[in-house]
Amino acid sequence: MAPVRHPDAPAPGELLGAHYEYCFGCGGGQPHGLHLEARAGEGVSLTAEFTVAPAHQGAPGLAHGGVLTTALDETLGSLNWLLRVIAVTGRLETDFVRPVPVDTVLFLQAEVTAVSGRKIYSRATGRIGGPDGPVAVRAEALFIEVKVDHFIDNGRPEEIQAAMADPDQVRRARAFEVNP
């Protein structure tokens, strides 16, 4: 089925913000994290950016492939906020097209392509320098919708309790929008 944007989803252009302060992908509490910033797009799409820092390199002067995959996973996972569902990564296939140098801004575009029951299919492209830059990475993913119990039953109790105690309902719900 074609994906349907939830009526309460953030408006196009709106910054989604971090789902959890200590998330390596988007959280500000991770000194060497990606600090990825995503914005809602039209339909069930979004754009995101992050700057490849020296702490993100694998080969000298180049982004580590795992870091690039993390950026894609974070971007694709953020799409679920537009559907207003909690989902986890079931499968993520990444294609590395060209090296990404340190200090490069990676511009990511992602969209949900289909929804079937609890399965959410999506894809993303990462371009060097901006939306018209050369393609560096691509990914296709399958996310599986889960209940919050998935995290409560499997997460470390201290972090789960702290997230559940947050009085802000939106931040509390978004904390469990994780891609384990």
Side-chain angles (χ1 to χ4, degrees):
M1 295 185 332
V4 177
R5 182 189 190 100
H6 192 279
D8 295 329
E14 187 175 329
L15 185 64
L16 300 182
H19 72 87
Y20 180 58
E21 180 182 359
Y22 299 107
C23 173
F24 183 80
C26 65
Q30 290 290 346
H32 297 297
L34 303 184
H35 303 193
L36 188 132
E37 293 188 347
R39 290 191 181 278
E42 297 294 331
V44 189
S45 72
L46 59 78
T47 59
E49 291 183 15
F50 91 96
T51 301
V52 178
H56 302 144
Q57 63 190 310
L62 297 173
H64 189 286
V67 169
L68 297 175
T69 301
T70 300
L72 289 161
D73 186 43
E74 184 68 31
T75 301
L76 290 159
S78 295
L79 287 166
N80 298 315
W81 188 243
L82 302 177
L83 299 171
R84 296 298 291 262
V85 299
I86 299 171
V88 296
T89 309
R91 179 184 55 80
L92 176 62
E93 183 176 326
T94 306
D95 297 319
F96 300 97
V97 178
R98 68 173 13 118
V100 179
V102 169
D103 295 326
T104 295
V105 174
L106 192 65
F107 183 85
L108 298 132
Q109 297 171 296
E111 66 178 341
V112 174
T113 57
V115 175
S116 178
R118 294 177 46 225
K119 296 178 180 179
I120 302 162
Y121 298 90
S122 54
R123 64 180 170 217
T125 302
R127 296 176 177 271
I128 293 175
D132 298 320
V135 172
V137 291
R138 285 189 294 258
E140 291 193 8
L142 166 65
F143 282 80
I144 308 297
E145 184 177 350
V146 297
K147 302 294 182 203
V148 75
D149 292 349
H150 171 86
F151 304 102
I152 294 169
D153 294 344
N154 296 292
R156 206 163 69 164
E158 302 84 47
E159 280 86 355
I160 298 297
Q161 289 167 2
M164 294 295 281
D166 191 327
D168 183 330
Q169 287 185 1
V170 171
R171 274 203 335 243
R172 183 171 52 238
R174 290 214 55 210
F176 294 100
E177 181 189 86
V178 188
N179 310 321

